RNA sequence: GUGCCCAUGGCUCAAUUGGAUAGAGCAAUUGCCUUCUAAGCAAUAGGUUGCAGGUUCGAGUCCUGCUGGGCACGCCA
């Protein structure tokens, strides 16, 4: 039930005017408020309060309105009838499906093969997963892509490094036998993870090594059998390690783990379209697509399709990936979720897609999120100055929860501790505005007072505990609500609206902050309104129990959208 | 140099996308466990929304200029 939408539509219908319904910041003003009179006054050249006085009787005719009054410069404040609210709140946890469902490709994660996940992958993973769940809940057909970095220079670096370690391995021989089984060359993930950083460090000082890596990259892409066989040895190892983190973060698994390598298969058809449309140009030995327009005020460099060493760049593979999605999903929208530093790249990419006639500009969307910084305001690093690994961060939060539990004398199993830790980590990430940077302070994440994920879980756990003790109860037809109960009802009735606008504006922080707001209302109610005490009469008890049930459903719904679960106890 | 983004109590973040008295959490001070889980509730204190103009019934939000910060700008992804 989307109360906001319902009231808004009925009100506009009654007034014959498209007014904007607002929820007053100050609840004393009423449940809803409209500025219709002030907007109408402008075109009519009249006093807003005068018009408001004319509108008031009409508004009072609406059956769900218990009171309407004029305030301030001409706001009309509404109060909703309690019996209407009580009836409405029974379906507060339901999410309204979209009346025009779309097919939406979501590109997030973008994990790199043979490079362990680090803090830079945190937001794209967590927020991407939540956006996906939001879209799905609203009824869109969501298709997720982990566009893996599995075909670029880093692959050449890793292979070059292995060549350095094991020059005697068969992959590097001229008489390589592609039909043999090479699975015995598989290395543990911990070892594989060290290859890229080592190679990258060496390449910085050793030009010859860098050159070798570049040659290998090009040869790999052109089908060199030995390199491809070796590549096929370490790819599954890497995929397994990604999968482990995905499960640790309680993310939905990707519908597609298809990256640059898959995209590169479509080089030919894409290049043909580019040539047919006469879009490819030679420049300094490279092939480029000019995307600059005459009316551009900002610099708009060309898109690099193929570099002077004849390797495909990520510009090229991104175009091909888009082509692949067009011919397989034919989506209404493609949403990319990456670091905001890639904004220019995506603007260029979208222009190429438009030039190719593949996707209109408004069907492609890039959401750029800010960086996660340390207290110094610079990208978060571990104490030794390295980018913090995702596994290390998760472990750190988990051990902090373990300490906290030990301190309190509670006994919780490992699964519960992991769930609490995950809530701390994910809520922190989701509750921040996507577009801005935020500061990641381990001590703040791991202290669980106030505005945190554990606070939300704790609230839900307490509610469940009451429901469990209470046993069966009946939902009363009507309710005589006090202020705390009524405030909670209004909060719960805002769930559907929040979900809708969170997806519409791609703002996952709305869901997280909503959950927190509801918890505050719940906890005030919980504190002030006894339920199972002997002096509470049956009618009141039933009313409060049904309210708690709905609150758990709503909180559970919000938590589910964040990929979190309510523990049994904590 | 060109362009994009940001600036809100001591700290970390909000503000229904132009609405009414700018709200939370942390840190500080204080009260509440013989009551359904105190990871909780309640109270006090803390603000010229970076600076200067402008737009209108109304600006933290929109426009202009300035100051300070972040980021990007063809052969990495």
């Amino acid at each position: 039930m989307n109360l906001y939408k319902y009231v808004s539509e009925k009100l506009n219908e009654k007034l014959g005017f498209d007014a904007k319904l607002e929820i007053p910041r100050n609840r004393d003003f009423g449940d809803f408020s409209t500025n219709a009179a002030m907007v109408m006054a402008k075109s009519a050249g009249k006093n807003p309060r005068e018009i408001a006085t004319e509108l008031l009787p009409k508004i009072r005719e609406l059956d769900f309105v218990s009171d309407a009054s004029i305030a301030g410069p001409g706001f009309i404040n509404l109060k909703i009838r309690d019996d209407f609210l009580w009836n409405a709140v029974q379906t507060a946890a339901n999410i309204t499906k979209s009346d025009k469902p779309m097919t939406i490709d979501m590109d997030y994660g973008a994990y790199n093969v043979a490079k362990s996940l680090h803090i830079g992958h945190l937001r794209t993973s967590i927020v991407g997963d939540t956006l996906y769940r939001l879209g799905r809940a609203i009824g869109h057909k969501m298709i997720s892509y982990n566009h893996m970095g599995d075909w670029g220079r880093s692959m050449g670096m890793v292979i070059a490094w292995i060549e350095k370690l094991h020059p005697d391995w068969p992959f590097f021989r001229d008489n390589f036998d592609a039909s043999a089984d090479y699975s015995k060359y598989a290395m543990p993930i911990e070892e594989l993870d060290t290859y890229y950083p080592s190679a990258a460090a060496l390449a910085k000082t050793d030009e010859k090594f860098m050159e070798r890596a570049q040659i290998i990259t090009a040869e790999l892409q052109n089908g060199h059998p030995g390199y491809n066989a070796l590549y096929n040895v370490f790819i599954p190892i890497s995929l397994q390690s990604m999968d482990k983190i995905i499960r640790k973060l309680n993310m939905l698994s990707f519908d597609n783990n298809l990256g640059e390598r898959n995209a590169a298969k479509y080089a030919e058809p894409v290049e043909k379209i580019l040539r047919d449309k006469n879009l490819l140009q030679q420049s300094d030995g490279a092939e480029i697509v000019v995307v600059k327009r005459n009316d551009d005020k900002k610099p708009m460099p060309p898109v690099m399709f193929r570099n002077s060493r004849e390797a495909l760049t990520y510009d090229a593979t991104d175009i091909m990936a888009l082509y692949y999605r067009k011919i397989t999903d034919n989506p209404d929208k493609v949403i990319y979720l990456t670091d905001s530093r890639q904004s220019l790249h995506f603007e260029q990419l979208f222009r190429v897609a438009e030039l190719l006639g593949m996707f209109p500009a408004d069907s492609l969307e890039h959401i750029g999120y800010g960086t996660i910084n340390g207290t110094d305001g610079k990208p978060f690093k571990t104490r030794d100055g390295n980018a913090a690994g995702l596994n290390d961060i998760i472990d750190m939060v988990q051990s902090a929860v373990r300490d906290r539990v030990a301190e309190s004398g509670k006994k919780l199993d490992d699964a519960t501790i992991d769930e609490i830790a995950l809530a701390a980590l994910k809520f922190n990430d989701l509750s921040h505005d996507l577009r801005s940077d935020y500061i990641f302070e381990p001590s703040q994440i791991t202290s669980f007072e106030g505005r945190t994920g554990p606070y939300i879980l704790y609230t839900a756990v307490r509610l469940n505990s009451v429901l469990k003790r209470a046993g069966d109860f009946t939902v009363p037809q009507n309710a005589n609500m006090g202020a705390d109960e009524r405030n909670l009802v209004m909060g719960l009735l805002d769930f559907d609206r929040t979900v809708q606008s969170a997806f519409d504006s791609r703002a996952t922080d709305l869901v997280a902050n909503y959950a927190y707001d509801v918890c505050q209302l719940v906890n005030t109610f919980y504190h002030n309104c006894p339920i199972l005490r002997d002096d509470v009469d049956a009618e009141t008890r039933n009313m409060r129990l049904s309210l708690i049930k709905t609150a758990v459903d709503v909180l559970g719904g919000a938590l589910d959208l964040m990929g979190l679960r309510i523990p049994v106890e904590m």
Side-chain angles (χ1 to χ4, degrees), chain A residues 3 10 30 53 97 116 120 128 170 180 213 219 262 285 289 311 334 343 347 356 363 397 444 446 457 461 501 546 566:
Chain A
L3 179 68
K10 294 287 175 192
T53 314
K97 301 282 179 190
S116 53
E219 287 184 337
N262 175 67
V289 181
V334 184
S343 305
E347 200 174 347
L356 288 174
S363 64
V397 182
Q444 201 191 316
T446 56
L457 297 190
V461 165
S501 65
S546 25
I566 304 173

Side-chain angles (χ1 to χ4, degrees), chain A residues 77-91:
Chain A
N77 294 323
L78 310 182
K79 202 109 188 148
I80 309 296
R81 290 168 59 118
D82 282 12
D83 56 345
F84 182 87
L85 288 181
W86 182 253
N87 187 43
V89 81
Q90 304 311 322
T91 57

Side-chain angles (χ1 to χ4, degrees), chain A residues 115-134:
Chain A
K115 272 162 90 174
S116 53
L117 274 71
H118 54 84
I119 193 161
H121 295 103
L122 192 65
R123 285 186 108 172
T124 180
S125 301
I126 292 176
V127 173
D129 187 58
T130 291
L131 273 179
Y132 182 98
R133 290 173 192 259
L134 275 168

Side-chain angles (χ1 to χ4, degrees), chain A residues 9 165 311 421:
Chain A
E9 283 173 359
L165 290 179

Side-chain angles (χ1 to χ4, degrees), chain A residues 173-204:
Chain A
R173 287 182 205 144
D174 289 339
N175 60 347
F176 177 75
D177 175 12
S179 62
D181 177 18
Y182 294 100
S183 54
K184 68 169 177 174
Y185 291 95
M187 62 290 284
I189 183 70
E190 295 76 21
E191 201 185 315
L192 178 60
D193 278 347
T194 64
Y195 292 173
Y196 179 77
S198 310
L202 179 63
K204 269 188 187 165

Side-chain angles (χ1 to χ4, degrees), chain A residues 4 23 84 119 122 138 164 344 400 519 527:
Chain A
Y4 174 88
I23 301 169
F84 182 87
I119 193 161
L122 192 65
I138 290 171
K164 209 174 160 61
L344 179 58
C519 283
H527 187 260

